[in-house]
């Protein structure tokens, strides 16, 4: 299975954000499929589950609620992080390498302690500093990272702050 190299980092990512306070926890969902099998990882406030299936083998493991990694510090697009103080609320990864295809979609839900326009302005300026070209429509940024993956960052109102979603698509 060509996606086997993804298993160790996905196991670590699956355990991310398992804080004691359920309302602050990050939900993680990972689905990776290949010609020889697949990997599914789901986590939430009470732990999670890893399922690995392949030619002649299957593994089903419960993940306890014990690891607290900092997704916000680890996430960036070509060196640009989310607006300072942002919190990742959800991670959804869907990867597929069936029939020679090498496709992946990553979605991150987040909240930011700034109004949508201010957060979008800040991130647009950070991309400009890194030489990453983005287009802007309202409070939505779109571009292509150095590896050729398309990304979109949408900011919407959440009271006086912003909530949004990052979508990265590699095809």
């Amino acid at each position: 299975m060509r996606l086997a190299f993804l298993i160790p980092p996905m196991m670590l990512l699956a355990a991310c954000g398992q804080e004691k306070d359920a309302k602050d926890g990050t939900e993680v969902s990972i689905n990776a499929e290949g010609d020889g099998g697949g990997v599914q990882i789901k986590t939430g406030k009470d732990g999670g589950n890893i399922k690995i299936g392949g030619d002649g083998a299957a593994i089903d493991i419960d993940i306890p609620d014990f690891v607290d990694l900092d997704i916000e510090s680890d996430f960036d697009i070509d060196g640009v992080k989310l607006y300072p103080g942002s919190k990742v609320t959800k991670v959804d990864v869907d990867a597929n390498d069936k029939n020679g295809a090498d496709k992946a979609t990553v979605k991150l839900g987040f909240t930011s302690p700034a109004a949508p326009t201010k957060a979008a302005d800040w991130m647009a300026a950070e991309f400009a500093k890194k030489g990453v070209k983005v287009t802007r429509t309202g409070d939505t940024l779109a571009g292509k990272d150095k590896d050729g993956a398309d990304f979109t960052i949408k900011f919407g109102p959440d009271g006086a702050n912003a909530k949004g979603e990052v979508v990265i698509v590699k095809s």
Side-chain angles (χ1 to χ4, degrees), residues 128-142:
K129 288 179 192 175
K130 300 287 185 183
V132 178
K133 184 179 178 189
V134 295
T135 58
R136 183 166 178 176
T137 305
D139 293 327
T140 298
L141 306 175

Side-chain angles (χ1 to χ4, degrees), residues 139-155:
D139 293 327
T140 298
L141 306 175
K144 190 176 288 283
D145 72 11
K146 67 181 177 184
D147 296 324
D150 295 313
F151 66 87
T152 305
I153 306 170
K154 298 177 184 179
F155 297 89

Side-chain angles (χ1 to χ4, degrees), residues 98-120:
K98 287 184 176 180
N99 301 320
D102 186 12
K103 298 179 181 181
T105 301
V106 177
K107 295 180 183 179
L108 275 77
F110 66 91
T111 59
S112 291
T117 299
K118 182 177 180 179

Side-chain angles (χ1 to χ4, degrees), residues 56-131:
I59 299 172
D60 191 343
I61 304 169
D62 287 329
I63 304 169
D65 179 14
F66 70 100
V67 178
D68 184 13
L69 299 176
D70 186 3
I71 297 172
E72 291 84 14
S73 294
D74 295 335
F75 173 78
D76 72 72
I77 297 174
D78 292 344
V80 176
K81 296 192 175 291
L82 292 173
Y83 183 86
S86 293
K87 298 291 180 202
V88 175
T89 57
K90 185 173 184 178
V91 178
D92 185 8
V93 179
D94 190 6
N96 183 331
D97 76 349
K98 287 184 176 180
N99 301 320
D102 186 12
K103 298 179 181 181
T105 301
V106 177
K107 295 180 183 179
L108 275 77
F110 66 91
T111 59
S112 291
T117 299
K118 182 177 180 179
D121 288 345
W122 184 87
M123 287 196 74
E126 292 298 304
F127 279 118
K129 288 179 192 175
K130 300 287 185 183

